[in-house]
Amino acid sequence: EAGVAQSPRYKIIEKRQSVAFWCNPISGHATLYWYQQILGQGPKLLIQFQNNGVVDDSQLPKDRFSAERLKGVDSTLKIQPAKLEDSAVYLCASSIGTGGMNTEAFFGQGTRLTVV
Amino acid sequence: GDSVTQMEGPVTLSEEAFLTINCTYTATGYPSLFWYVQYPGEGLQLLLKATKADDKGSNKGFEATYRKETTSFHLEKGSVQVSDSAVYFCALRNRGTALIFGKGTTLSVSS
């Protein structure tokens, strides 16, 4: 079974530029998550989708971050404009569960973003 | 809100030593508890999980028991190997919400 795919693996941009990350979850997984992992910290949820609807985006900095999940499959996360403090690894994860189920989440390799 | 607290690292051990990484949580209701591991250069992988009180999760020689009375889920291994060197994250999931992670504990095992 293919895992969660993310691209690119690495990205270096200058501050105030824009960047986009792509995620393809495991086939059949209804729920998709984007996490931000700053060096030395645990992953922090940015946004959670169930199918193509947003379940939780309370920690997404909406003035600069946006995400979509068209057709309930692939997802993109965009930052515009980027700030130095956005340097982090952006992780995509998916899980099969919906509703109140506490099922396992599977993670992609992540995209390491460096803002200079 | 829900949260996870795990011991600060780094933890440095010799091969075959006993490992404990402490994890406590704060949550309403009955969350599921997880340990994830991140090996150098790799993504997060589920190591073990427990879904209800007194459950013991185990995998690759690692164990953790869901203790509701002490709100804890400590990770243990009787004899660590160099290949266990990684960052370990304790996490919880409550009523279908996204995983909430601790800050991570770096384990370094030397031969």
Side-chain angles (χ1 to χ4, degrees):
Chain A
E1 178 183 83
V4 176
Q6 290 188 245
S7 67
R9 287 295 308 278
Y10 306 92
K11 191 75 177 179
I12 301 174
I13 61 171
E14 296 182 350
K15 59 184 179 184
R16 293 187 290 274
Q17 286 187 324
S18 62
V19 65
F21 312 127
W22 173 82
C23 173
N24 182 244
I26 293 173
S27 178
H29 281 196
T31 306
L32 184 147
Y33 315 83
W34 283 102
Y35 283 85
Q36 180 192 58
Q37 185 178 13
I38 293 173
L39 185 65
Q41 298 183 19
K44 183 189 82 171
L45 179 72
L46 291 174
I47 189 167
Q48 176 183 354
F49 292 95
Q50 184 170 307
N51 296 310
N52 60 350
V54 175
V55 174
D56 183 357
D57 64 356
S58 57
Q59 298 186 84
L60 187 74
K62 298 181 185 64
D63 57 334
R64 298 184 301 106
F65 285 65
S66 64
E68 60 182 8
R69 189 182 185 197
L70 298 176
K71 301 179 181 178
V73 182
D74 293 7
S75 178
T76 56
L77 175 69
K78 297 180 182 178
I79 307 175
Q80 181 179 13
K83 293 185 175 181
L84 295 177
E85 60 260 35
D86 298 332
S87 294
V89 176
Y90 291 85
L91 297 167
C92 180
S94 69
S95 66
I96 196 167
T98 59
M101 298 170 63
N102 293 337
T103 52
E104 173 186 352
F106 295 83
F107 285 80
Q109 297 263 51
T111 296
R112 182 177 298 277
L113 173 67
T114 303
V115 182
V116 297
Chain B
D2 297 351
S3 65
V4 174
T5 302
Q6 62 182 105
M7 64 187 284
E8 298 281 333
V11 174
T12 303
L13 296 173
S14 298
E15 206 165 25
E16 299 183 3
F18 184 85
L19 168 71
T20 300
I21 300 178
N22 290 337
C23 171
T24 57
Y25 68 91
T26 301
T28 56
Y30 302 93
S32 294
L33 302 175
F34 305 82
W35 277 100
Y36 278 80
V37 59
Q38 192 169 37
Y39 297 105
E42 298 185 16
L44 278 167
Q45 303 172 27
L46 179 68
L47 180 60
L48 54 83
K49 65 180 180 182
T51 58
K52 61 183 187 296
D54 300 325
D55 266 3
K56 177 185 283 188
S58 61
N59 186 25
K60 299 181 181 180
F62 291 89
E63 294 182 339
T65 301
Y66 189 144
R67 300 285 188 202
K68 190 159 179 65
E69 64 275 15
T70 54
T71 62
S72 64
F73 193 54
H74 305 321
L75 183 68
E76 296 182 337
K77 186 174 186 182
S79 177
V80 293
Q81 305 300 312
V82 172
S83 57
D84 295 326
S85 297
V87 183
Y88 292 82
F89 293 93
C90 185
L92 70 81
R93 193 166 180 208
N94 202 0
R95 290 170 290 182
T97 59
L99 284 163
I100 296 172
F101 288 88
K103 291 186 175 182
T105 302
T106 300
L107 171 65
S108 178
V109 181
S110 58
S111 58

